């Protein structure tokens, strides 16, 4: 029985190596880009067919209010006048307290005068602490204002190509509906190659296995790919299972959406 099973597996492997199978080349992912906030589109920085990089600005939602708020917050965060005044008060109160202590030791001032000088010093220290806390809060407010402005800058989540631009400057980017994305992007490096194989070949295809992909005309040549996914469930109705391969496409020579043939190695 073991010999028969081994023979069957070898026969299946030889069949895989000897044959070519229909396949479809697809983008690794297709994404509809939407604005996280509602507003009028101010600028669209790309057009259909453009290659984009991760983090590249795609579009900007009108943000005059947010820019003004950031300017105000940045100005407040950079202001140091109140801190300098509070530090000067602490310095003066420290000197007065030290002088009062010396005079108290020499019995030139009363205990109440010393208490008053020490209380003034503590109050000046608390005022300095409060001023520094306000400065930190101003810096946090600047960070929040910057984040609010950044929400109105739509960036690419990955390296890819622009498939379609759906909104133009002056049109409303709404968050309450899924019908109006700003644009559509596709990630095309690497590409996914989807293959459907007969169930008799199950077990002869493994992750990491190499394969040669032959795109249909007009794309010429052969391309090395690697098996990345092998379905663990066979479709009973068709007697088939799916396999996915990853096809490197750094130079963008192979477009997504093409039919192809694949030969496993």
């Amino acid at each position: 029985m073991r010999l028969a099973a081994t023979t069957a597996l070898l026969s299946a492997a030889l069949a895989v190596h000897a044959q070519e199978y229909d396949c479809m080349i697809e983008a690794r992912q297709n994404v509809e880009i939407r604005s996280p906030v509602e507003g009028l589109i101010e600028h669209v920085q790309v057009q259909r067919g453009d290659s984009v990089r991760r983090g590249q600005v795609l579009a900007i939602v009108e943000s005059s209010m947010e820019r003004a708020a950031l300017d105000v917050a940045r100005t407040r965060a950079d202001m140091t006048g109140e801190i300098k005044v509070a530090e000067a008060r602490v310095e003066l109160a420290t000197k007065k307290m030290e002088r009062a202590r010396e005079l108290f030791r020499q019995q030139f001032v009363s205990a109440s005068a010393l208490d008053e000088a020490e209380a003034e010093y503590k109050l000046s220290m608390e005022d300095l602490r409060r001023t520094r806390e306000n400065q930190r809060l101003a810096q946090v407010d600047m960070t929040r204002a910057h984040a609010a402005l950044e929400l109105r800058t739509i960036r690419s989540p990955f390296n890819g190509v622009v498939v379609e631009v759906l909104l133009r400057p002056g049109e409303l980017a709404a968050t309450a509906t899924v019908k109006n994305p700003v644009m559509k992007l596709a990630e095309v490096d690497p590409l996914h190659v989807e293959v459907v194989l007969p169930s008799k070949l199950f077990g002869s295809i493994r992750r990491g296995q190499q394969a040669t992909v032959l795109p249909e005309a007009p794309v010429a040549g052969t391309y090395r790919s690697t098996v990345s996914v092998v379905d663990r469930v066979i479709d009973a109705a068709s007697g088939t299972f799916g396999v996915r391969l990853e096809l490197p496409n750094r130079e963008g020579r192979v477009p997504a959406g093409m039919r192809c043939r694949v030969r496993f190695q």
Side-chain angles (χ1 to χ4, degrees):
M1 293 180 64
R2 289 184 178 178
L3 180 60
T6 303
T7 302
L9 184 59
L10 288 174
S11 298
L14 289 173
V16 172
H17 289 270
Q19 296 184 27
E20 294 180 356
Y21 300 90
D22 290 331
C23 58
M24 176 66 73
I25 300 174
E26 299 178 351
R28 184 172 184 266
Q29 58 178 327
N30 292 283
V31 176
E32 292 182 342
I33 303 298
R34 290 180 170 81
S35 172
V37 295
E38 188 170 297
L40 295 178
I41 298 295
E42 185 175 353
H43 297 293
V44 176
Q45 310 284 60
V46 295
Q47 59 184 353
R48 188 181 69 185
D50 284 353
S51 296
V52 295
R53 307 292 296 176
R54 178 183 176 90
Q56 179 179 335
V57 175
L58 303 176
I60 298 174
V61 180
E62 200 283 324
S63 53
S64 57
M65 292 290 292
E66 286 73 19
R67 286 194 294 268
L70 178 59
D71 289 340
V72 172
R74 183 182 290 115
T75 301
R76 287 176 177 170
D78 292 340
M79 291 172 61
T80 59
E82 290 187 2
I83 292 181
K84 291 181 178 178
V85 169
E87 289 174 343
R89 287 175 179 168
V90 169
E91 184 179 359
L92 179 60
T94 302
K95 291 179 179 179
K96 289 179 65 175
M97 181 181 64
E98 291 174 349
R99 185 164 55 250
R101 286 175 176 174
E102 180 63 26
L103 292 174
F104 180 74
R105 281 195 295 270
Q106 298 176 9
Q107 297 183 349
F108 287 126
V109 297
S110 63
S112 62
L114 175 60
D115 292 341
E116 184 178 346
E118 290 178 341
E120 185 177 348
Y121 168 76
K122 291 179 181 179
L123 288 173
S124 66
M125 288 295 296
E126 285 299 315
D127 187 56
L128 176 60
R129 182 184 62 80
R130 179 181 57 81
T131 305
R132 287 174 174 170
E133 287 177 350
N134 290 338
Q135 182 75 7
R136 286 194 292 269
L137 287 175
Q139 292 172 350
V140 171
D141 191 49
M142 182 185 67
T143 302
R144 183 191 60 78
H146 184 271
L149 178 61
E150 188 63 22
L151 285 176
R152 293 179 170 265
T153 302
I154 303 172
R155 301 180 183 273
S156 174
F158 50 73
N159 299 339
V161 295
V162 180
V163 177
E164 188 177 5
V165 177
L166 298 171
L167 293 183
R168 303 292 178 180
E171 294 184 308
L172 179 66
T175 59
T177 175
V178 297
K179 296 182 180 179
N180 295 320
V182 178
M183 63 185 65
K184 296 180 180 179
L185 299 185
E187 186 177 5
V188 293
D189 180 32
L191 291 165
H192 282 171
V193 181
E194 301 291 345
V195 192
V196 177
L197 298 176
S199 58
K200 65 181 180 180
L201 301 181
F202 189 82
S204 61
I205 304 295
R206 293 177 174 82
R207 293 181 62 181
Q209 186 173 340
Q210 299 295 305
T212 300
V213 176
L214 299 88
E216 66 179 6
V219 178
T222 59
Y223 298 85
R224 182 69 60 86
S225 62
T226 305
V227 175
S228 60
V229 176
V230 178
D231 287 350
R232 308 306 299 172
V233 177
I234 294 176
D235 181 64
S238 62
T240 59
F241 67 100
V243 173
R244 174 181 292 168
L245 304 96
E246 281 199 358
L247 173 63
N249 191 35
R250 290 190 180 90
E251 298 180 3
R253 294 180 178 178
V254 183
M258 295 195 67
R259 296 186 178 276
C260 59
R261 305 280 291 175
V262 63
R263 181 170 60 247
F264 293 92
Q265 298 179 2

